[in-house]
Amino acid sequence: MHTDLALAERCRANAPEAFEELYRAHAPRLFGLACRLVGRADAEDLLQEIFLAAHRRLGSYRGEAALGTWLFRLATNCCLDHLRSRAGRRAALTDELHDEPDATGSQAGPILGVVDRLDLERALADLPPGARAVFVLHDVEGFEHREIAELLGVAEGTSKSQLHRARLRLRRVLGRSAPAAAETF
Amino acid sequence: MRTCSDVQRDLSRYVDDDLPPDDQAAIAQHLASCEVCRGIEADLRQLRARARTLGPMPLPGHLWSKIADRLRMENVDASAEVVEVRSWPMSWSHRSWLWLGLAATLVVIALGAYIAPSLSRRAPAAVTPDNATRAVSVQDVTDELDQALEHYGRAVAGLETLAREDGASMDPAVSAALQTNLTAIDRAIAESRTALIDQPQSASARASLTDALRQKVDVLQTTVALVNDLRRENEDDAADAAKKLGKQS
């Protein structure tokens, strides 16, 4: 934490190389987050916005959390704002979260083989934005449902049900055979 | 006895260990005897575990140079915006802002120490015709204003001495801006004093003096707030202060 504060202070003082050091340390993780939440096509521009916002707001960083956590929270909010603005309305991230899950699986035993990383990334990109956000934040990034609910402006139970449906959708898409019934979003 | 549908509805929460203990146990019992639900459970666990391995992504090589360029442009734009709002010359380095903030603070302190007590004692008389004749003399007000002028003059001179001792010369732009500030204050004081001398018993003249001084103090206090917000990079508050300054000037 002491190192984080020192780096933040060097950035605030416009010390040479300090902000680039911050970028090199944290940008890969934030870029992964942005790619998964908003798609690769928008992620590069969004990452620029994230670091510009970070540069402007470093004055408010007091070291309560690790600098990486502070940046990640900022990046998450930027990504979700981007999704909302792209959809044109705030409710867009929650509209698709209200259907009841329709779990599938009349087939005995697992239907997934070894899941390839690229296949999973592609299937993830095809999820609706709200379900994708919940899956990425919970299963990829390790957020709690309480935090996700707060970020998305939905009930905690909605986050849980959406995660379940997202997992079932991925299972179906990635499965060796697709069951007839499908979950709905 | 739970059905497969009941169990499958809660399977994600089960693999996340997010159910009450009794429910966890009931589902575990069901899974022990149901191959279909056990298959789904295994797939959900694998998906969750695989997702955890999706980590950082390689950065495009050109991205940092784009960000660095935009940071440079943003810094220039931010300086230009401040100059436009305040009609002050040139751009401002971070160190310059510190000196300006300190200088403006000293000016406000000086005015607060010498003028505000005078105003607090005499302003009611200035706005109430009935007790105008009991007000203090013009000479009293002038003397105190002179003391204020002398005091903040010393403060600025001391500030310049500190700058020299620190090995740093004060930025010419800052000096110019300070001079602009002080000139505005001097002009306001002179106008108010002239009005009071012309009409020493006039309640409106006294009110004008009060208003002019308070207005200038307000401008300086807002300036200090803006400087401090910029130092803390508190953009929202700085923007509010800048807007307020624009309305005041």
Side-chain angles (χ1 to χ4, degrees), chain B residues 162-177:
Chain B
L162 283 175
R164 281 192 298 273
E165 289 175 351
D166 195 32
S169 60
M170 189 176 290
D171 189 309
V174 177
S175 296

Side-chain angles (χ1 to χ4, degrees), chain A residues 6 10 28 48 72 117 142 147 160 179:
Chain A
R10 287 169 54 218
Q48 293 182 49
F72 194 82
R117 175 190 169 114
E147 299 171 292
K160 291 178 181 180

Side-chain angles (χ1 to χ4, degrees), chain A residues 12 19-20 23-24 27-29 31-32 35-36 44 47-49 52 55-56 59 103-115 117 120-121 135 138-140 160 163-164 167 170-171 174, chain B residues 5 8-13 15-16 18 35-40 42-44 46-48 50-64 66-67 70-71 74-75 94 232-233 235:
Chain A
R12 283 194 286 260
F19 199 72
E20 184 173 359
Y23 171 83
R24 300 289 177 203
R29 185 185 178 203
F31 189 56
C35 284
R36 292 180 191 112
E44 285 191 25
L47 194 67
Q48 293 182 49
E49 301 304 327
L52 288 171
H55 188 264
R56 288 193 292 266
T104 63
S106 56
Q107 178 177 325
I111 64 170
L112 293 180
V114 176
V115 176
R117 175 190 169 114
L120 179 55
E121 295 277 18
F135 184 87
H138 188 278
D139 278 8
V140 180
K160 291 178 181 180
L163 175 67
H164 184 50
R167 286 172 173 171
L170 292 172
R171 175 177 182 261
L174 295 168
Chain B
S5 177
Q8 289 172 14
R9 188 188 60 229
D10 286 336
L11 268 182
S12 272
R13 293 185 66 189
V15 301
D16 290 338
D18 187 38
E35 193 177 357
V36 171
C37 290
R38 203 163 56 241
I40 298 171
D43 285 341
L44 296 185
Q46 191 200 165
L47 274 173
R48 194 181 66 156
R50 194 71 182 95
R52 286 279 193 269
T53 68
L54 299 179
M57 283 191 176
L59 293 168
H62 59 277
L63 210 49
W64 167 248
K66 282 187 175 179
I67 292 173
R70 290 188 61 185
L71 282 174
E74 190 165 276
N75 285 338
H94 184 71
R232 291 193 294 264
E233 299 187 9
E235 292 183 324

Side-chain angles (χ1 to χ4, degrees), chain A residues 21-95:
Chain A
E21 182 182 332
L22 183 79
Y23 171 83
R24 300 289 177 203
H26 299 287
R29 185 185 178 203
L30 303 187
F31 189 56
L33 174 77
C35 284
R36 292 180 191 112
L37 283 181
V38 307
R40 176 94 190 195
D42 290 346
E44 285 191 25
D45 287 344
L46 196 56
L47 194 67
Q48 293 182 49
E49 301 304 327
I50 289 166
F51 274 92
L52 288 171
H55 188 264
R56 288 193 292 266
R57 297 178 192 176
L58 265 172
S60 67
Y61 176 69
R62 296 286 178 268
E64 296 90 344
L67 194 50
T69 304
W70 181 84
L71 269 173
F72 194 82
R73 178 64 60 143
L74 173 66
T76 303
N77 282 320
C78 286
C79 290
L80 295 178
D81 287 345
H82 180 83
L83 284 176
R84 291 182 184 114
S85 66
R86 194 163 65 185
R89 54 201 169 100
R90 180 183 175 85
L93 289 182
T94 60
D95 279 351

Side-chain angles (χ1 to χ4, degrees), chain A residues 122-165:
Chain A
R122 273 193 289 267
L124 194 51
D126 285 337
L127 286 176
R132 187 169 68 241
V134 172
F135 184 87
V136 168
L137 293 175
H138 188 278
D139 278 8
V140 180
E141 302 296 347
F143 277 64
E144 304 277 347
H145 282 294
R146 174 183 50 77
E147 299 171 292
I148 296 169
E150 185 181 332
L151 284 165
L152 296 180
V154 299
E156 197 172 326
T158 304
S159 176
K160 291 178 181 180
S161 62
Q162 190 66 24
L163 175 67
H164 184 50
R165 272 172 272 164

Side-chain angles (χ1 to χ4, degrees), chain B residues 3-249:
Chain B
T3 66
C4 286
S5 177
D6 293 338
V7 168
Q8 289 172 14
R9 188 188 60 229
D10 286 336
L11 268 182
S12 272
R13 293 185 66 189
Y14 174 77
V15 301
D16 290 338
D17 200 17
D18 187 38
L19 291 168
D22 288 351
D23 293 333
Q24 290 282 139
I27 290 179
Q29 189 176 11
H30 176 92
L31 291 175
S33 60
C34 178
E35 193 177 357
V36 171
C37 290
R38 203 163 56 241
I40 298 171
E41 179 220 1
D43 285 341
L44 296 185
R45 287 190 187 281
Q46 191 200 165
L47 274 173
R48 194 181 66 156
R50 194 71 182 95
R52 286 279 193 269
T53 68
L54 299 179
M57 283 191 176
L59 293 168
H62 59 277
L63 210 49
W64 167 248
S65 62
K66 282 187 175 179
I67 292 173
D69 287 346
R70 290 188 61 185
L71 282 174
R72 279 190 287 273
M73 289 173 62
E74 190 165 276
N75 285 338
V76 170
D77 289 346
S79 298
E81 190 173 329
V82 170
V83 169
E84 183 180 351
V85 169
R86 310 167 87 188
S87 299
W88 282 351
M90 302 176 63
S91 61
W92 302 80
S93 67
H94 184 71
R95 187 175 181 83
S96 298
W97 278 112
L98 293 178
W99 283 117
L100 177 58
L102 182 54
T105 303
L106 287 171
V107 171
V108 171
I109 290 171
L111 285 172
Y114 283 84
I115 296 176
S118 170
L119 291 177
S120 66
R121 287 194 306 270
R122 291 159 191 155
V127 296
T128 307
D130 291 342
N131 60 11
T133 55
R134 289 184 277 112
V136 294
S137 71
V138 174
Q139 189 58 49
D140 289 340
V141 175
T142 302
D143 288 346
E144 295 212 32
L145 291 176
D146 287 342
Q147 288 180 52
L149 287 167
E150 183 183 349
H151 186 82
Y152 77 67
R154 280 202 305 270
V156 172
L159 176 61
E160 290 169 339
T161 302
L162 283 175
R164 281 192 298 273
E165 289 175 351
D166 195 32
S169 60
M170 189 176 290
D171 189 309
V174 177
S175 296
L178 273 175
Q179 191 56 51
T180 302
N181 252 342
L182 296 175
T183 300
I185 293 169
D186 289 343
R187 185 164 53 243
I189 290 172
E191 290 170 355
S192 302
R193 183 190 295 168
T194 300
L196 197 56
I197 289 171
D198 288 345
Q199 299 173 298
Q201 304 303 322
S202 166
S204 62
R206 289 174 180 275
S208 295
L209 172 65
T210 304
D211 290 344
L213 291 172
R214 282 181 175 162
Q215 186 180 7
K216 291 302 173 185
V217 171
D218 283 346
V219 168
L220 284 169
Q221 285 174 329
T222 307
T223 302
V224 171
L226 173 61
V227 169
N228 288 332
D229 289 335
L230 286 170
R231 286 169 60 192
R232 291 193 294 264
E233 299 187 9
N234 188 341
E235 292 183 324
D236 292 341
D237 289 346
D240 289 343
K243 285 180 184 173
K244 190 177 176 187
L245 261 185
K247 290 176 182 174
Q248 287 172 331
S249 59

